[in-house]
Amino acid sequence: MKRLHSEAFLDIKAEKLMIPLERVAHVQSKNNLEHALLVLTKSGYSAIPVLDYHDKLHGLISTPLIMEAILGIERIEFEKLQSILVEEVMNKEIPRVTTNSSLNQYLKLLVDHPFLCIENEAGFFEGIVTRRVVLDLLAKQ
Ligand code: AMP
């Protein structure tokens, strides 16, 4: 992207900076925790989006949330991984940004969140914008 004035920079739409769904590691709400842990571990990401079969966003799942769910009094109960569903454990309180939101509308959210989930006007998940992408672009300005 070419150099921008600060106003133009803040006007950049989420869809321009987005990593599209096809390249976002994610799980389905009805997957079990064993599958989610596998995807998280293999991808190397600390948290990933949770979608349904229609690509609607339901929340985020992370390794700490999974470990918390299987933590017993004296041991980690790994056998529980297969019987607990992602939807029982995921974080549903997540900020949602639409594809046509401009950076000045979602920049503040990136202070507390390493990435933001992007939905289209119909509420379908389209991708994520990461703090890294925004900082990288800023560094180039
Ligand atoms: P990064 O800024 O690239 O380090 O990414 C920050 C966070 O965004 C990661 O820890 C993941 O939770 C999430 N993330 C980044 N890229 C992806 C991706 N392709 N698929 C799923 N999650 C991602």
Side-chain angles (χ1 to χ4, degrees):
M1 204 177 274
K2 64 176 170 36
R3 274 172 176 259
L4 301 165
H5 296 293
S6 56
E7 257 176 48
F9 177 71
L10 290 172
D11 276 345
I12 301 174
K13 304 279 184 221
E15 64 187 342
K16 287 261 183 255
L17 302 181
M18 202 173 65
I19 299 172
L21 168 59
E22 313 83 74
R23 289 199 282 123
V24 175
H26 61 277
V27 289
Q28 308 247 318
S29 47
K30 299 287 181 196
N31 287 150
N32 63 23
L33 293 189
E34 185 175 48
H35 178 75
L37 192 57
L38 206 82
V39 177
L40 281 160
T41 307
K42 284 225 161 193
S43 66
Y45 296 125
S46 46
I48 50 173
V50 179
L51 309 180
D52 64 18
Y53 293 114
H54 306 288
D55 290 344
K56 289 240 176 188
L57 177 67
H58 286 247
L60 293 182
I61 189 77
S62 64
T63 307
L65 280 175
I66 295 175
M67 293 318 253
E68 175 80 38
I70 61 168
L71 201 64
I73 292 170
E74 288 186 349
R75 52 181 281 273
I76 299 173
E77 297 166 351
F78 285 107
E79 65 279 9
K80 281 188 173 173
L81 283 173
Q82 283 185 349
S83 58
I84 305 175
L85 299 181
V86 167
E87 64 184 4
E88 298 173 57
V89 169
M90 67 188 177
N91 175 16
K92 297 175 195 154
E93 306 293 312
I94 54 164
R96 288 155 186 262
V97 173
T98 53
T99 38
N100 63 2
S101 304
S102 30
L103 186 54
N104 65 354
Q105 291 172 293
Y106 59 85
L107 186 60
K108 261 195 180 165
L109 292 170
L110 285 169
V111 173
D112 292 324
H113 303 273
F115 72 99
L116 299 170
C117 292
I118 314 297
E119 294 167 308
N120 62 24
E121 295 299 330
F124 292 100
F125 180 79
E126 291 269 333
I128 59 171
V129 170
T130 63
R131 191 187 285 159
R132 177 195 293 270
V133 165
V134 174
L135 284 178
D136 185 48
L137 184 61
L138 180 64
K140 286 177 184 148
Q141 297 302 308

